[in-house]
Amino acid sequence: MAELMQQQELNIEVDFFGFGFQEPDDRFVPVGYPEGRVPETFLTAHPGRIDVESGGHTHTAAMTVEVWNAEPPSAHGREAWEAQGQARIHSPSGELALWAAAGPMTESVRLPEAGREWQVRIYCVGREEVRRLAQESVPEGVERYLAQFSPADA
């Protein structure tokens, strides 16, 4: 049975409708964020990074990051999720920096093991509301994400 190993609460500075998780060592990221984004797709995996498309242009989103020792239970009953996706990422460092189009953020995702491949499921709620509000202001915490990481080979 899967066990929750750690949890982080992060503030994500979204700009130009998106952000990304990226290995901090450029040697493992052939094309850095935001190059090659796919705006029509909620979640896109690239070597060394994962891109997430947001509902709003510029705002601060809330993200809960969970790290599990095996595939976690589905989060479908927790919220009325508006979008979801999954991807894999190899993390040589055991850390994933968060990036916006303006550059790296101060927050990062800390994984308990370096040098392994991780499966991540990302869920989002508040997309429609932040799309509306971001046209008039810079909302905070309206769009919320849940990112569930687990070892890809577990």
Side-chain angles (χ1 to χ4, degrees), residues 87-141:
R88 287 179 176 231
I89 189 166
H90 180 72
S91 180
S93 70
E95 180 180 0
L96 296 174
L98 290 162
W99 280 71
M105 298 179 214
T106 58
E107 307 236 41
S108 65
V109 173
R110 294 176 309 279
L111 299 167
E113 291 182 49
R116 77 176 315 159
E117 180 127 348
W118 294 89
Q119 175 76 27
V120 62
R121 289 193 305 221
I122 300 178
Y123 302 86
C124 183
V125 67
R127 294 172 65 80
E128 292 304 317
E129 182 72 4
V130 82
R131 182 181 322 278
R132 185 180 62 75
L133 292 173
Q135 293 175 17
E136 302 166 7
S137 66
V138 182
E140 292 191 23

Side-chain angles (χ1 to χ4, degrees), residues 20-53:
F21 298 90
Q22 183 170 298
E23 182 63 30
D25 187 335
D26 292 342
R27 294 178 299 161
F28 301 106
V29 186
V31 179
Y33 187 86
E35 291 184 48
R37 279 179 55 193
V38 182
E40 306 82 37
T41 306
F42 173 63
L43 201 65
T44 305
H46 301 273
R49 78 176 221 234
I50 297 172
D51 300 349
V52 181
E53 295 302 311

Side-chain angles (χ1 to χ4, degrees), residues 67-87:
V67 180
W68 294 77
N69 67 344
E71 184 176 347
S74 171
H76 284 293
R78 291 193 200 180
E79 295 271 358
W81 303 112
E82 296 171 42
Q84 68 180 51
Q86 62 183 18

